[in-house]
Amino acid sequence: MAEQPSSTSSETQIPTQESVDSQVQAEEGASSSNSTSSNSLTLEQKYEIVRSIGEECIQEEELKNLLAKKPQPICYDGFEPSGRMHIAQGVLKTINVNKLVSAGCKVKIWIADWFAQLNNKMGGDLKKIRTVGEYLIEIWKATGMNLEGVEFLWSSEEINSRAHEYWPLVMDIARRNKLPRIMRCSQIMGRSDQDELSAAQIFYPCMQCADVFFLKADICQLGMDQRKVNVLAREYCDDIKRKNKPIILSHHMLPGLQQGQEKMSKSDPSSSIFMEDEEAEVNVKIKKAYCPPQIVDGNPCLEYLKYIIFPWFREFEVERKVENGGNKTYKTFDDLTADYTREELHPADLKPALSKSLNRILQPVRDHFKNDPKARELLKKVKAYRITR
């Protein structure tokens, strides 16, 4: 497992293999909160649940060994509070977290407020960033995230309280890596090679790499866009001769709703469904979404079905006129795509059914922000903020 560094006042202590091994027994007694549900699962069942989250897993054998040896593995997920939450960050994250908790894992969600400030989100205003972070937590509560197995940690608070552990680790990672290696990780900030570079693009990857060890993460459960910095953490383990490396479990990135949009964009409202969008807004966005007949690859509506609707409902019901084939309930995504490629299911019938399913998921969130005074005030503030890249 990945272990945070211990430290003394006189020298920097990095997370060695010895410190990892000595911590395992102490942590084995801390897993009782999730044991009731997860103890009924076989090792293979736990593995299948956890593995199903990742589009990629580095390494599968290490994941199996971890689940066999540690009763409650620690999974690290993090996010920058940077504006309104879209459905991938809201629903897809809830699905993934609930799977991990059901398999006996503890999920540490790193509210990366300092990182958002480094990345100039909300104009670098930490007060606004904090408000956005609180708003995001309210959404996960309303969406049905199993918070019994989740711990929300604010990066600014945790780093300040244990600065003597954190900053020596950041400096050690920086010292052991050449500048080009760190610069290759700039993608994690949502930046491209064409962007004007800032010092933050050097500082940020070293800090995010340190987070893995600071949070004692066994599993890095982040999107494919964060893969490079997670690999950097594994390479760091090689540098310090540590055998237990963090396992990388990278989930799929949902595309934007328009043609050619590889990623959802908060600055482009038409590219995604937001978690508090009204029913009419969802209907309009899906109606205008790219959804070519018979084409599965690169079809955002089908991606929504595969990664959100089927995992959430375990089925998908299409209502249509008798002359168009009548109502049909699909139990698997493969059955649906088979009909879609044969043109037995048309976008004109699929889209209204997709909108209806999405609105069913989002209604509790709308209700929460309508009825809860704190949540309502947070949403009002967040909607007023100007979104920056």
Side-chain angles (χ1 to χ4, degrees):
M1 59 172 255
E3 173 66 21
Q4 76 180 53
S6 58
S7 64
T8 65
S9 57
S10 59
E11 64 176 317
T12 299
Q13 295 292 322
I14 55 180
T16 63
Q17 186 62 40
E18 288 76 19
S19 65
V20 170
D21 294 338
S22 65
Q23 185 73 16
V24 171
Q25 288 185 338
E27 291 185 346
E28 285 181 346
S31 60
S32 59
S33 60
N34 292 330
S35 61
T36 302
S37 59
S38 61
N39 279 349
S40 62
L41 300 174
T42 66
L43 174 59
E44 190 60 32
Q45 286 172 327
K46 288 182 182 180
Y47 171 77
E48 290 299 328
I49 291 170
V50 176
R51 180 63 184 88
S52 70
I53 292 169
E55 184 171 287
E56 177 186 65
C57 177
I58 306 175
Q59 297 279 345
E60 290 183 341
E61 198 58 40
E62 293 176 18
L63 177 59
K64 290 178 182 177
N65 291 336
L66 171 68
L67 295 173
K69 294 178 180 178
K70 189 169 183 180
Q72 190 180 35
I74 294 174
C75 303
Y76 149 66
D77 191 359
F79 67 94
E80 288 183 9
S82 58
R84 294 175 65 194
M85 182 186 283
H86 53 58
I87 201 165
Q89 195 178 25
V91 177
L92 191 57
K93 190 184 292 291
T94 296
I95 290 169
N96 289 344
V97 167
N98 287 355
K99 283 184 176 181
L100 291 167
V101 173
S102 73
C105 298
K106 178 178 181 178
V107 181
K108 292 185 177 181
I109 296 184
W110 192 235
I111 311 174
D113 50 357
W114 267 2
F115 292 78
Q117 187 177 41
L118 269 176
N119 210 1
N120 203 36
K121 298 297 173 69
M122 298 291 111
D125 187 327
L126 199 59
K127 184 176 179 181
K128 289 182 178 179
I129 291 168
R130 179 86 187 202
T131 298
V132 175
E134 291 173 352
Y135 144 86
L136 298 179
I137 293 173
E138 289 297 316
I139 288 185
W140 285 318
K141 289 179 182 177
T143 308
M145 181 178 286
N146 184 355
L147 299 182
E148 289 186 6
V150 175
E151 185 178 9
F152 291 108
L153 299 168
W154 295 84
S155 67
S156 57
E157 292 178 0
E158 296 299 315
I159 293 171
N160 275 336
S161 67
R162 293 156 56 202
H164 64 288
E165 299 174 25
Y166 188 79
W167 294 115
L169 178 57
V170 173
M171 289 189 290
D172 192 59
I173 291 167
R175 184 176 62 82
R176 291 173 183 270
N177 285 279
K178 303 296 184 184
L179 183 58
R181 177 67 187 92
I182 297 299
M183 293 305 301
R184 287 200 298 272
C185 294
S186 63
Q187 177 190 9
I188 64 174
M189 301 176 67
R191 307 294 177 180
S192 69
D193 293 338
Q194 285 72 44
D195 288 330
E196 185 176 353
L197 304 182
S198 70
Q201 288 176 286
I202 301 169
F203 207 47
Y204 192 113
C206 296
M207 289 175 62
Q208 187 171 331
C209 181
D211 292 344
V212 176
F213 305 100
F214 186 67
L215 297 173
K216 304 181 183 180
D218 302 303
I219 300 172
C220 299
Q221 206 289 285
L222 299 162
M224 287 293 293
D225 60 338
Q226 304 296 302
R227 181 185 187 278
K228 290 182 179 179
V229 75
N230 291 332
V231 171
L232 181 67
R234 288 179 62 89
E235 292 174 353
Y236 178 65
C237 290
D238 290 332
D239 290 340
I240 63 174
K241 305 296 187 288
R242 173 174 170 165
K243 291 183 290 184
N244 290 66
K245 300 178 182 180
I247 295 154
I248 305 172
L249 197 65
S250 304
H251 65 73
H252 180 74
M253 302 291 293
L254 279 180
L257 289 171
Q258 305 306 312
Q259 184 176 7
Q261 291 182 329
E262 292 184 3
K263 234 179 126 175
M264 295 181 183
S265 170
K266 292 179 181 178
S267 59
D268 178 7
S270 69
S271 78
S272 62
I273 305 296
F274 291 107
M275 290 297 293
E276 355 75 22
D277 275 348
E278 296 296 335
E279 183 175 343
E281 292 178 284
V282 173
N283 295 341
V284 168
K285 288 181 179 182
I286 295 299
K287 185 176 182 179
K288 293 181 177 179
Y290 178 64
C291 188
Q294 296 183 279
I295 304 299
V296 175
D297 293 340
N299 187 326
C301 289
L302 293 186
E303 293 242 351
Y304 270 48
L305 286 164
K306 180 177 182 180
Y307 291 100
I308 294 178
I309 302 304
F310 276 103
W312 193 273
F313 293 112
R314 307 296 180 188
E315 63 182 23
F316 178 61
E317 184 177 358
V318 176
E319 297 177 357
R320 56 190 174 185
K321 298 177 181 178
V322 175
E323 56 266 33
N324 292 335
N327 296 351
K328 184 169 183 178
T329 299
Y330 293 94
K331 297 296 185 182
T332 69
F333 181 71
D334 288 342
D335 288 344
L336 183 144
T337 55
D339 272 8
Y340 195 80
T341 54
R342 291 193 297 260
E343 217 167 1
E344 293 177 12
L345 175 60
H346 193 272
D349 295 313
L350 182 145
K351 283 186 171 185
L354 174 58
S355 295
K356 184 176 181 180
S357 294
L358 290 172
N359 279 314
R360 283 178 62 193
I361 295 172
L362 297 180
Q363 192 56 49
V365 179
R366 298 182 191 121
D367 292 341
H368 180 64
F369 280 91
K370 179 181 178 182
N371 299 324
D372 185 282
K374 176 187 174 184
R376 185 167 61 245
E377 184 62 24
L378 285 169
L379 177 59
K380 181 181 177 181
K381 289 181 179 179
V382 171
K383 280 188 171 182
Y385 295 157
R386 178 176 172 268
I387 302 300
T388 55
R389 240 188 112 215

